[in-house]
Amino acid sequence: MDTLLDVVNTPQKTLISLALLLAVVLCFQMRSSDPYGLFHLSLNKIDANSRPATEWLNMGYWKCSRKQLEVTFIGQGLPSVFNQRTALALKLIVSAKLIPEGRVLDVGHGTGESLLLLVSDPSVPRPSYLVGVTSLELHHQRSLERVQKRQAAQTQNDEPTKVNLYHGDAVYNGVDPNHPLSPASVGLFDSVLALDCAYHFDTRRTFLEQTFHKLAPGGRVALADICFSAEKLKSTHTKVITSIARLMPPQNLVSDASYIASMKDIGYVDVTLEDITPDVFPSFIAFLKGRGIGWWLFGTSLQWYTSAGAKFVIVSGQKPEILE
């Protein structure tokens, strides 16, 4: 049987599609009074009656099985609690080339799952100093409690990582000298991580510029992020969808080539961009659509973004050992 979109002409399809998208966005916003609170806990449950074993807030990496990841990633075993969101975090850590006893900045860490992975799990190189940044007070407080609880449970022979959590925007606004990316803040970082969040920053370019100045020579930034097909960015379809859905500031709507060029223009070297779209969006959208009507609506909204040419990528770059 033909659907409505099958029997109308192309202009009508566009209008109907946009109307549906707007309805999806509005419905999801109405259902979600606190869309950036603790909604993600339900996505970490195995079933409706279980307690979440993790608190990841990312779309996940759905390509590899646990056995494949043991070979693909660190090679020292995997976290005891493992799922697709853990896999994306591990993939980002590998791209950042974390070093043992390094100084790490984790931006947009949600309720602290990535912090726990960094401070306590043998599957990743343990930093000596870890700074976290989140803009949400609820996430900040929950992360503080979770990290303190985890470190208190570690053995006395296990030297704890020094952790400093900052409540504020990812981008330094020129006001608070204590912001980790402020020129006045003490110390440089060996690694900066942004897991599935940088497309929200206002702006990503400013964040990357500030990060460059706070990286130690040879340090790396790594982002699990969203960019776009260069061809799709030119289309009216993409412009309308991104203006309605508003997943990110307009300045962050860049192509993969522009993303790489921007990082090189800032001064990064050894810039890499890996397109993992097929291993993120399709499975994550299917997962959302199986979690009830609210998540089905959000999954549909995200599906429209993919139709607009959205790509999920792992991007990294290095600050030169010697600046010219």
Side-chain angles (χ1 to χ4, degrees):
M1 179 181 295
D2 289 337
T3 66
L4 174 62
L5 292 181
D6 291 325
V7 298
V8 297
N9 59 35
T10 300
Q12 289 175 321
K13 284 183 180 180
T14 301
L15 290 174
I16 293 171
S17 298
L18 293 176
L20 289 172
L21 172 62
L22 181 59
V24 166
V25 173
L26 290 176
C27 287
F28 184 74
Q29 290 177 345
M30 290 172 63
R31 288 179 58 86
S32 182
S33 59
D34 185 11
Y36 295 103
L38 298 179
F39 72 94
H40 62 289
L41 297 186
S42 66
L43 295 181
N44 285 263
K45 293 182 178 181
I46 297 175
D47 55 61
N49 298 319
S50 64
R51 296 182 61 181
T54 59
E55 296 189 14
W56 288 113
L57 183 52
N58 67 71
M59 298 188 204
Y61 181 66
W62 302 76
K63 179 179 182 178
C64 294
S65 67
R66 182 184 179 102
K67 184 176 181 180
Q68 289 171 318
L69 285 166
E70 289 174 350
V71 177
T72 305
F73 289 124
I74 307 301
Q76 300 175 3
L78 287 175
S80 55
V81 178
F82 175 81
N83 57 32
Q84 286 82 8
R85 270 79 71 193
T86 312
L88 186 62
L90 289 174
K91 191 165 181 63
L92 185 69
I93 287 170
V94 171
S95 181
K97 300 181 181 179
L98 261 62
I99 59 174
E101 301 298 312
R103 295 168 61 90
V104 178
L105 172 62
D106 185 358
V107 182
H109 54 69
T111 53
E113 199 67 37
S114 58
L115 301 173
L116 299 182
L117 186 70
L118 289 163
V119 302
S120 63
D121 206 287
S123 65
V124 300
R126 183 75 56 84
S128 62
Y129 183 53
L130 174 63
V131 177
V133 178
T134 180
S135 62
L136 300 179
E137 176 65 25
L138 177 61
H139 288 188
H140 173 70
Q141 291 298 330
R142 191 174 181 90
S143 296
L144 276 174
E145 294 168 3
R146 297 184 73 209
V147 169
Q148 290 170 356
K149 182 178 179 180
R150 178 65 61 86
Q151 290 196 311
Q154 291 176 254
T155 65
Q156 293 183 350
N157 295 329
D158 194 3
E159 183 68 24
T161 298
K162 181 181 179 182
V163 179
N164 179 23
L165 301 186
Y166 179 87
H167 173 225
D169 195 80
V171 178
Y172 170 57
N173 62 7
V175 176
D176 185 1
N178 295 314
H179 190 287
L181 296 181
S182 164
S185 63
V186 177
L188 300 176
F189 297 102
D190 300 299
S191 307
V192 176
L193 304 171
L195 177 60
D196 199 356
C197 57
Y199 47 88
H200 292 305
F201 297 170
D202 192 8
T203 64
R204 180 201 289 122
R205 167 83 188 211
T206 303
F207 169 76
L208 287 169
E209 289 173 342
Q210 294 177 354
T211 296
F212 184 82
H213 292 294
K214 293 301 293 183
L215 277 173
R220 294 191 70 86
V221 61
L223 313 94
D225 206 357
I226 295 176
C227 61
F228 285 80
S229 158
E231 288 301 316
K232 286 292 186 76
L233 277 177
K234 302 174 184 177
S235 71
T236 301
H237 174 76
T238 295
K239 292 176 182 177
V240 173
I241 284 179
T242 53
S243 65
I244 292 175
R246 296 184 181 180
L247 183 64
M248 62 187 72
Q251 299 93 324
N252 293 345
L253 294 168
V254 300
S255 69
D256 44 7
S258 295
Y259 201 138
I260 294 172
S262 178
M263 290 192 68
K264 290 181 177 179
D265 181 60
I266 292 169
Y268 291 100
V269 297
D270 189 25
V271 177
T272 65
L273 185 149
E274 181 185 1
D275 185 353
I276 58 171
T277 304
D279 305 316
V280 177
F281 284 143
S283 294
F284 183 59
I285 290 169
F287 170 76
L288 290 175
K289 288 189 171 184
R291 306 291 287 195
I293 183 61
W295 291 117
W296 186 92
L297 291 169
F298 182 60
T300 300
S301 179
L302 188 59
Q303 192 169 24
W304 282 109
Y305 244 75
T306 64
S307 76
K311 297 182 176 185
F312 202 93
V313 295
I314 300 290
V315 186
S316 69
Q318 181 180 29
K319 184 173 182 176
E321 294 278 0
I322 301 176
L323 294 177
E324 297 181 358

